[in-house]
mmCIF file of all heavy atoms in Angstrom:
data_model
loop_
_atom_site.group_PDB
_atom_site.id
_atom_site.type_symbol
_atom_site.label_atom_id
_atom_site.label_comp_id
_atom_site.label_asym_id
_atom_site.label_seq_id
_atom_site.Cartn_x
_atom_site.Cartn_y
_atom_site.Cartn_z
ATOM 1 N N THR A 231 39.930 12.408 -73.719
ATOM 2 C CA THR A 231 39.212 11.935 -72.520
ATOM 3 C C THR A 231 40.163 11.135 -71.619
ATOM 4 O O THR A 231 39.787 10.219 -70.931
ATOM 5 C CB THR A 231 38.020 11.047 -72.902
ATOM 6 O OG1 THR A 231 38.444 9.980 -73.765
ATOM 7 C CG2 THR A 231 36.986 11.858 -73.636
ATOM 8 N N GLY A 233 42.531 8.881 -72.250
ATOM 9 C CA GLY A 233 42.835 7.497 -72.497
ATOM 10 C C GLY A 233 41.657 6.545 -72.409
ATOM 11 O O GLY A 233 41.826 5.416 -71.906
ATOM 12 N N THR A 234 40.457 6.958 -72.850
ATOM 13 C CA THR A 234 39.383 5.991 -73.034
ATOM 14 C C THR A 234 39.554 5.366 -74.441
ATOM 15 O O THR A 234 40.250 5.919 -75.290
ATOM 16 C CB THR A 234 38.018 6.624 -72.925
ATOM 17 O OG1 THR A 234 37.852 7.564 -73.969
ATOM 18 C CG2 THR A 234 37.841 7.335 -71.588
ATOM 19 N N ILE A 235 38.933 4.232 -74.670
ATOM 20 C CA ILE A 235 39.045 3.546 -75.957
ATOM 21 C C ILE A 235 37.747 3.669 -76.731
ATOM 22 O O ILE A 235 36.661 3.508 -76.166
ATOM 23 C CB ILE A 235 39.481 2.104 -75.779
ATOM 24 C CG1 ILE A 235 40.941 2.063 -75.280
ATOM 25 C CG2 ILE A 235 39.366 1.316 -77.053
ATOM 26 C CD1 ILE A 235 41.433 0.704 -74.871
ATOM 27 N N VAL A 236 37.851 3.939 -78.028
ATOM 28 C CA VAL A 236 36.775 4.059 -78.947
ATOM 29 C C VAL A 236 36.827 2.941 -79.966
ATOM 30 O O VAL A 236 37.923 2.554 -80.351
ATOM 31 C CB VAL A 236 36.781 5.432 -79.677
ATOM 32 C CG1 VAL A 236 35.650 5.573 -80.660
ATOM 33 C CG2 VAL A 236 36.796 6.576 -78.676
ATOM 34 N N LYS A 253 31.817 5.035 -77.770
ATOM 35 C CA LYS A 253 32.820 5.700 -76.981
ATOM 36 C C LYS A 253 32.992 4.990 -75.624
ATOM 37 O O LYS A 253 32.139 4.187 -75.232
ATOM 38 C CB LYS A 253 32.444 7.155 -76.741
ATOM 39 C CG LYS A 253 32.473 8.065 -77.936
ATOM 40 C CD LYS A 253 32.133 9.495 -77.521
ATOM 41 C CE LYS A 253 32.204 10.426 -78.701
ATOM 42 N NZ LYS A 253 31.898 11.849 -78.297
ATOM 43 N N ALA A 254 34.053 5.386 -74.952
ATOM 44 C CA ALA A 254 34.277 4.987 -73.570
ATOM 45 C C ALA A 254 34.113 3.504 -73.319
ATOM 46 O O ALA A 254 33.484 3.062 -72.371
ATOM 47 C CB ALA A 254 33.336 5.777 -72.627
ATOM 48 N N VAL A 255 34.728 2.732 -74.241
ATOM 49 C CA VAL A 255 34.797 1.255 -73.973
ATOM 50 C C VAL A 255 35.530 0.996 -72.691
ATOM 51 O O VAL A 255 35.204 0.092 -71.955
ATOM 52 C CB VAL A 255 35.449 0.538 -75.155
ATOM 53 C CG1 VAL A 255 35.661 -0.946 -74.851
ATOM 54 C CG2 VAL A 255 34.613 0.718 -76.435
ATOM 55 N N THR A 256 36.548 1.827 -72.398
ATOM 56 C CA THR A 256 37.220 1.836 -71.111
ATOM 57 C C THR A 256 36.983 3.180 -70.469
ATOM 58 O O THR A 256 36.619 4.142 -71.157
ATOM 59 C CB THR A 256 38.713 1.579 -71.232
ATOM 60 O OG1 THR A 256 39.316 2.567 -72.057
ATOM 61 C CG2 THR A 256 39.010 0.197 -71.837
ATOM 62 N N THR A 257 37.221 3.289 -69.172
ATOM 63 C CA THR A 257 36.909 4.519 -68.437
ATOM 64 C C THR A 257 38.048 5.520 -68.419
ATOM 65 O O THR A 257 37.890 6.637 -67.922
ATOM 66 C CB THR A 257 36.523 4.193 -66.997
ATOM 67 O OG1 THR A 257 37.606 3.478 -66.366
ATOM 68 C CG2 THR A 257 35.245 3.368 -66.962
ATOM 69 N N GLY A 258 39.212 5.175 -68.962
ATOM 70 C CA GLY A 258 40.354 6.110 -68.990
ATOM 71 C C GLY A 258 41.632 5.463 -68.493
ATOM 72 O O GLY A 258 41.636 4.393 -67.927
ATOM 73 N N ASN A 259 42.750 6.209 -68.724
ATOM 74 C CA ASN A 259 44.077 5.780 -68.340
ATOM 75 C C ASN A 259 44.426 4.430 -68.959
ATOM 76 O O ASN A 259 45.067 3.576 -68.324
ATOM 77 C CB ASN A 259 44.189 5.699 -66.817
ATOM 78 C CG ASN A 259 44.004 7.083 -66.184
ATOM 79 O OD1 ASN A 259 44.511 8.075 -66.668
ATOM 80 N ND2 ASN A 259 43.210 7.110 -65.114
ATOM 81 N N THR A 260 43.992 4.209 -70.200
ATOM 82 C CA THR A 260 44.293 2.980 -70.922
ATOM 83 C C THR A 260 44.790 3.325 -72.299
ATOM 84 O O THR A 260 44.655 4.444 -72.783
ATOM 85 C CB THR A 260 43.041 2.073 -71.033
ATOM 86 O OG1 THR A 260 41.979 2.796 -71.719
ATOM 87 C CG2 THR A 260 42.527 1.655 -69.683
ATOM 88 N N GLU A 261 45.381 2.345 -72.961
ATOM 89 C CA GLU A 261 45.843 2.530 -74.353
ATOM 90 C C GLU A 261 46.137 1.136 -74.937
ATOM 91 O O GLU A 261 45.868 0.120 -74.290
ATOM 92 C CB GLU A 261 47.118 3.421 -74.433
ATOM 93 C CG GLU A 261 48.321 2.841 -73.711
ATOM 94 C CD GLU A 261 49.563 3.746 -73.844
ATOM 95 O OE1 GLU A 261 49.587 4.559 -74.789
ATOM 96 O OE2 GLU A 261 50.418 3.655 -72.989
ATOM 97 N N ILE A 274 38.346 -7.291 -76.256
ATOM 98 C CA ILE A 274 39.293 -6.182 -76.411
ATOM 99 C C ILE A 274 40.238 -6.258 -75.232
ATOM 100 O O ILE A 274 39.813 -6.269 -74.079
ATOM 101 C CB ILE A 274 38.628 -4.828 -76.562
ATOM 102 C CG1 ILE A 274 39.659 -3.777 -76.938
ATOM 103 C CG2 ILE A 274 37.851 -4.419 -75.310
ATOM 104 C CD1 ILE A 274 39.076 -2.484 -77.490
ATOM 105 N N TYR A 276 43.799 -4.454 -73.490
ATOM 106 C CA TYR A 276 44.347 -3.091 -73.498
ATOM 107 C C TYR A 276 45.353 -2.926 -72.337
ATOM 108 O O TYR A 276 45.371 -3.742 -71.380
ATOM 109 C CB TYR A 276 43.249 -2.040 -73.355
ATOM 110 C CG TYR A 276 42.246 -2.291 -72.255
ATOM 111 C CD1 TYR A 276 42.447 -1.765 -70.987
ATOM 112 C CD2 TYR A 276 41.126 -3.045 -72.504
ATOM 113 C CE1 TYR A 276 41.509 -2.030 -69.956
ATOM 114 C CE2 TYR A 276 40.186 -3.311 -71.510
ATOM 115 C CZ TYR A 276 40.405 -2.776 -70.230
ATOM 116 O OH TYR A 276 39.475 -3.056 -69.232
ATOM 117 N N LYS A 292 37.922 -6.857 -71.912
ATOM 118 C CA LYS A 292 36.465 -6.812 -71.833
ATOM 119 C C LYS A 292 35.882 -7.686 -72.939
ATOM 120 O O LYS A 292 36.593 -7.978 -73.900
ATOM 121 C CB LYS A 292 35.941 -5.375 -71.947
ATOM 122 C CG LYS A 292 36.387 -4.457 -70.820
ATOM 123 C CD LYS A 292 35.703 -3.116 -70.886
ATOM 124 C CE LYS A 292 35.976 -2.255 -69.670
ATOM 125 N NZ LYS A 292 35.071 -1.097 -69.556
ATOM 126 N N TRP A 301 29.909 -3.344 -73.744
ATOM 127 C CA TRP A 301 31.059 -4.087 -73.265
ATOM 128 C C TRP A 301 30.968 -4.362 -71.784
ATOM 129 O O TRP A 301 30.426 -3.554 -71.019
ATOM 130 C CB TRP A 301 32.338 -3.297 -73.603
ATOM 131 C CG TRP A 301 32.649 -3.324 -75.080
ATOM 132 C CD1 TRP A 301 32.163 -2.491 -76.022
ATOM 133 C CD2 TRP A 301 33.421 -4.327 -75.738
ATOM 134 N NE1 TRP A 301 32.640 -2.815 -77.274
ATOM 135 C CE2 TRP A 301 33.400 -3.944 -77.128
ATOM 136 C CE3 TRP A 301 34.133 -5.423 -75.375
ATOM 137 C CZ2 TRP A 301 34.079 -4.714 -78.088
ATOM 138 C CZ3 TRP A 301 34.845 -6.171 -76.310
ATOM 139 C CH2 TRP A 301 34.804 -5.825 -77.620
#
Side-chain angles (χ1 to χ4, degrees):
T231 56
T234 64
I235 291 174
V236 179
K253 291 183 178 181
V255 173
T256 59
T257 58
N259 298 317
T260 58
E261 63 178 336
I274 189 165
Y276 48 91
K292 295 188 173 192
W301 288 87

